[in-house]
Amino acid sequence: MKLHIITIGKPKLSYAIAGFAEYTARLGRLHDLQVTHIADKHNDTEHILKVAENAHKVALAIDGPQKSSQELANFLNKRELEAREVCFMIGGPDGLPQEVIDASETILGLSKLTFPHDLAMVVLAETLYRSSTINTGHPYHH
């Protein structure tokens, strides 16, 4: 399955750089993974949607509906059957532009808690890895 993570900016804090690298490396062993970091100055609808075109767009939004790990695993299974790239988009510290959220097929909230931008990237990568291991029967998710 093709997964694409788009972030506005790169992780800057050492723990986030290490965590994001660890979980994207793990995720890359299970999926055809692409990561795109868009410069802060291009946190606009045109740039984000151009990178995500033709993919099933998943907008990360603080007030978006949340899924359990199993529900996200089921979501990934359904998208895999569509044979279409799935693109998870994390906006900048102020989130994604509303136009990007409106153009997305799915809106997802990571938590009702507010995370620092760097930590949100790590949480997304770990969450995708966890749900993917559920689908492969790997014991990581226990």
Side-chain angles (χ1 to χ4, degrees):
M1 165 177 219
K2 287 182 128 182
L3 290 182
H4 190 171
I5 298 173
I6 297 175
T7 68
I8 301 303
K10 295 181 180 182
K12 294 172 182 65
L13 302 171
S14 60
Y15 77 87
I17 293 168
F20 190 74
E22 175 67 26
Y23 287 109
T24 55
R26 291 182 187 195
L27 198 53
R29 291 191 288 270
L30 301 174
H31 299 285
D32 179 2
L33 178 67
Q34 180 179 357
V35 175
T36 302
H37 299 292
I38 297 175
D40 292 332
K41 66 182 178 180
H42 295 302
N43 184 12
D44 60 69
T45 303
E46 180 183 347
H47 282 93
I48 297 168
L49 292 180
K50 183 177 180 183
V51 175
E53 71 182 346
N54 300 323
H56 180 105
K57 294 168 199 62
V58 180
L60 278 286
I62 195 162
D63 57 350
Q66 298 171 33
K67 294 185 181 297
S68 69
S69 296
Q70 184 62 58
E71 289 169 333
L72 185 58
N74 294 341
F75 171 84
L76 292 175
N77 270 339
K78 287 178 184 175
R79 301 295 77 79
E80 187 169 24
L81 293 174
E82 295 171 355
R84 194 170 156 212
E85 177 182 12
V86 180
C87 185
F88 291 85
M89 303 174 290
I90 297 179
D94 295 325
L96 289 166
Q98 187 61 48
E99 295 85 3
V100 171
I101 294 170
D102 293 343
S104 298
E105 287 91 341
T106 303
I107 300 170
L108 179 65
L110 292 177
S111 172
K112 290 184 181 188
L113 300 171
T114 302
F115 295 125
H117 185 58
D118 278 14
L119 185 55
M121 291 184 222
V122 177
V123 170
L124 174 63
E126 191 282 335
T127 298
L128 290 172
Y129 177 68
R130 179 176 299 276
S131 294
S132 296
T133 62
I134 290 170
N135 287 340
T136 62
H138 189 279
Y140 173 81
H141 69 279
H142 291 289

